[in-house]
Amino acid sequence: TTPLNVAAKAAGKKYFGSATDNHELTDSTYVEILSDSNMFGQITPGNSLKWDATEPSRGNFTFTQGDQIVNLAKANGQLLRGHNCVWHNQLPSWVTSGNFSADTLSSIITTHCGTVVGRYQGQICFWDVVNEPLNDDGTLRSDVFYDTLGEEYISIALRAAKAADPDAKLYINDYGIEGTGPKSTGMVNLVKSLKAASVPIDGIGMQAHLIVGQVPSTLGDNIKQFTALGVEVAITELDLRMTLPATDADLAQQKEDYQRVISTCNAISGCIGVTIWDYTDKYSWVPATFSGQGAALPWDENFNKKPAYDGIVAGF
Ligand code: XIL
C-alpha cells in the first residue's frame, strides 16, 4: 500500500504528518515508522513547544525537548509545525497568577512568542501561534490573555511571531470548527477583523478531534468559507475516536470517516495538508482524556495498520 505522505504529495498537498512526543522516542519500533518521510512528511511536537515546557519561569527558556523533535524532523527531511505560542492550557502559574498589567502581559507575550518562534527561525514553517481562542458560541474565550488585553492579545502574539520568523505561516488553531456553526462563524469574524487591521495571519488550523460516525456534513463548505477569507487551512490534529472495545463495524466506519475527511480536504486547493495527533493507538491522547474511548488512530497499539490506513490512502 502507498505510504501516506507519498499519497498526499501525489494529490498536490504539501504533506501528510503526525504529532509525536519526546517520551515516545525511546521506542525504536515507533521511531522507525515515524522517521519514514514517505509516510510522514511533517511532524508536530505534541507538548514540547508549549509555554510550560519552553518558559517555565519568566525569562527562563528551555529548548532541550523542543530541539530533540526539531532535530529528528530535520534529520528525516520532514517539515515542522510549531505548537503553540499562546494557549489557555499548559500555561505556567507565573503567567496565570501574575496579576500583570496590560502593558506587562503584552510584553510577556511578545517576549515569549518572539523567543520561541525565533529559536527555530527558518526551521519551523507552520506555527499555531494562537491555540483555542474561541468559545463554542463563537465569542473569545475568557483566560488570562483575553481578560487582561481583550482581542488585542491575538494581534500581539501574531506580530511577535511575524517579527521573529517572517517566512513562517502563522495560524490560529481550534477544535469544534470543523462544521459550520457559531464557533466557525466566530473564527471567520476573527480572521476578518485581523485582516482588516493588517495583522499577519496566514492560516486556520482545524484540530479535528472527531468521533467515529460523526464527521460533520458541512466540513467541505466550512473549509471553503475559511479559504474564501484568503487564508490557507490545515487539518492539524486529526483523530477519530470510538467507544471501546472497538468492533469490526466501528473500524469499518472509522475507515470511511478518515477517507471522508481526507477526500474533503483533498478536493479544496487551499486545504494544504493533514496531520494526525500521533499515529498509533499506543500513544494516543484520547483514552486519558475521554474516558472509555480510544482506538482513534490508523495504527493499533501493536503498530499494525488498521482499516483507517487504507481509508486515508483512498481519500487522497
Ligand atoms: C494534548 C497532548 O496530546 C497531551 O499529551 C497533553 O497531556 C494534553 O495536550 N488540543 C491541542 C493539543 O491543541 O495541544 C492537545 O494535546 C490536544 C487537544
Side-chain angles (χ1 to χ4, degrees):
T1 51
T2 322
L4 302 180
N5 190 51
V6 169
K9 301 271 291 233
K13 300 292 142 181
K14 292 197 175 154
Y15 57 80
F16 185 88
S18 175
T20 188
D21 208 354
N22 297 75
H23 67 92
E24 301 162 15
L25 301 180
T26 54
D27 179 336
S28 58
T29 308
Y30 174 84
V31 174
E32 194 182 324
I33 297 171
L34 180 76
S35 296
D36 176 4
S37 63
N38 286 327
M39 191 61 82
F40 302 114
Q42 178 272 327
I43 296 289
T44 306
N47 284 299
S48 47
L49 293 178
K50 291 172 179 173
W51 199 312
D52 59 356
T54 52
E55 195 185 6
S57 64
R58 188 171 175 185
N60 281 322
F61 287 89
T62 57
F63 292 111
T64 321
Q65 302 264 94
D67 287 355
Q68 190 189 5
I69 292 175
V70 168
N71 291 336
L72 179 77
K74 282 202 285 187
N76 296 335
Q78 295 161 316
L79 302 172
L80 281 152
R81 179 171 205 93
H83 178 82
N84 54 60
C85 298
V86 175
W87 186 30
H88 70 278
N89 267 337
Q90 293 179 266
L91 198 54
S93 61
W94 72 265
V95 181
T96 46
S97 316
N99 277 311
F100 298 113
S101 68
D103 278 355
T104 305
L105 189 60
S106 169
S107 106
I108 285 170
I109 294 171
T110 300
T111 301
H112 182 77
C113 295
T115 305
V116 177
V117 174
R119 164 89 184 185
Y120 301 109
Q121 188 257 321
Q123 302 167 65
I124 294 190
C125 41
F126 310 97
W127 261 103
D128 295 327
V129 177
V130 180
N131 197 35
E132 301 183 352
L134 294 165
N135 292 313
D136 290 347
D137 68 0
T139 58
L140 289 171
R141 181 194 290 276
S142 165
D143 61 14
V144 65
F145 304 112
Y146 182 75
D147 297 346
T148 310
L149 290 158
E151 181 173 335
E152 189 61 19
Y153 88 86
I154 294 177
S155 350
I156 294 165
L158 286 164
R159 288 202 164 102
K162 184 74 178 176
D165 191 347
D167 295 328
K169 297 282 189 197
L170 308 183
Y171 277 65
I172 300 179
N173 188 51
D174 216 324
Y175 64 90
I177 54 162
E178 294 79 25
T180 55
K183 194 167 187 178
S184 294
T185 303
M187 182 62 88
V188 167
N189 291 335
L190 174 59
V191 169
K192 276 187 184 160
S193 130
L194 293 168
K195 285 195 153 271
S198 302
V199 177
I201 175 70
D202 301 299
I204 297 174
M206 275 184 180
Q207 291 185 6
H209 295 293
L210 300 172
I211 298 171
V212 163
Q214 297 182 32
V215 176
S217 59
T218 54
L219 178 65
D221 289 343
N222 195 44
I223 295 176
K224 284 181 200 154
Q225 78 161 339
F226 288 167
T227 57
L229 299 166
V231 292
E232 58 188 43
V233 168
I235 296 178
T236 54
E237 305 184 12
L238 179 63
D239 51 24
L240 279 145
R241 62 186 185 266
M242 60 185 76
T243 300
L244 298 173
T247 65
D248 286 351
D250 292 330
L251 295 174
Q253 181 65 48
Q254 184 182 50
K255 172 186 180 180
E256 240 178 73
D257 291 345
Y258 266 103
Q259 181 171 346
R260 187 127 128 250
V261 172
I262 300 298
S263 65
T264 303
C265 174
N266 202 26
I268 303 168
S269 62
C271 187
I272 60 133
V274 177
T275 307
I276 49 179
W277 203 242
D278 227 316
Y279 73 85
T280 160
D281 292 334
K282 183 173 185 181
Y283 296 122
S284 171
W285 76 303
V286 168
T289 310
F290 303 95
S291 156
Q293 299 181 59
L297 294 168
W299 276 258
D300 71 14
E301 57 281 353
N302 298 313
F303 300 102
N304 298 309
K305 291 173 182 158
K306 293 156 64 181
Y309 182 96
D310 295 322
I312 295 172
V313 174
F316 280 118

